[in-house]
Amino acid sequence: MRKVVPEKWGSSVKFVLQRELHELFIYNYVQPEQGIYQLTKTGLEKLEYGQEKYKDMYLYANEGFYSLHEKQVIRTDTEDIYQGVLMKNGDYYFITTKDFSHPQKESEEGKAYLNKVSKKKLPSFLDSLKSKE
């Protein structure tokens, strides 16, 4: 195993840190229906959806939000959003070529915008992404 480069393992299983909770999870990004697993001191535990402590908590990985409360994946791989990060305070920052403050305005070539969605507004932002699918 030492000589095998991790990128060449061919595994669709990924680790992701949920920064707000300071918890580590793994999931299969090709088959997310297999569920999300939490890494604990004693091993792996499959995430039980519906727990109140996970309401409005997400994993952000592979251009998607994975809800820890509901069995749901919301994709962000649109032409408008091409890079993002979920911060430890729950705010979501992303880079886009579209000016979200002036949505009707044509995009300017070579221009990028940094956008912030606060934790409080994240659920409604994700709902707007779901409606575009």
Side-chain angles (χ1 to χ4, degrees), residues 26-90:
I26 64 170
Y27 70 103
N28 184 327
Y29 70 91
V30 174
Q31 298 174 318
E33 64 276 3
Q34 290 183 348
I36 297 172
Y37 292 81
Q38 185 176 14
L39 275 73
T40 66
K41 291 179 182 180
T42 59
L44 290 176
E45 290 181 17
K46 189 167 186 171
L47 178 69
E48 292 181 35
Y49 294 101
Q51 295 180 58
E52 194 58 33
K53 75 176 188 173
Y54 291 135
K55 184 146 178 72
D56 296 330
M57 294 281 185
Y58 304 91
L59 300 178
Y60 181 72
N62 289 322
E63 299 176 338
F65 283 88
Y66 296 76
S67 173
L68 296 177
H69 188 260
E70 303 170 29
K71 192 172 188 175
Q72 178 181 56
V73 179
I74 303 146
R75 306 298 311 161
T76 60
D77 54 350
T78 69
E79 61 187 43
D80 298 330
I81 300 171
Y82 62 90
Q83 189 175 10
V85 64
L86 187 59
M87 304 299 288
K88 69 179 178 180
N89 64 357

Side-chain angles (χ1 to χ4, degrees), residues 58 60 63-66 72-82 92 94 96 98 100 117 121-133:
Y58 304 91
Y60 181 72
E63 299 176 338
F65 283 88
Y66 296 76
Q72 178 181 56
V73 179
I74 303 146
R75 306 298 311 161
T76 60
D77 54 350
T78 69
E79 61 187 43
D80 298 330
I81 300 171
Y82 62 90
Y92 172 58
F94 63 96
T96 179
K98 184 176 181 179
F100 276 66
V117 178
K121 295 181 180 179
L122 188 59
S124 62
F125 175 77
L126 295 177
D127 283 342
S128 73
L129 289 177
K130 284 191 290 190
S131 66
K132 291 180 183 180
E133 291 179 348

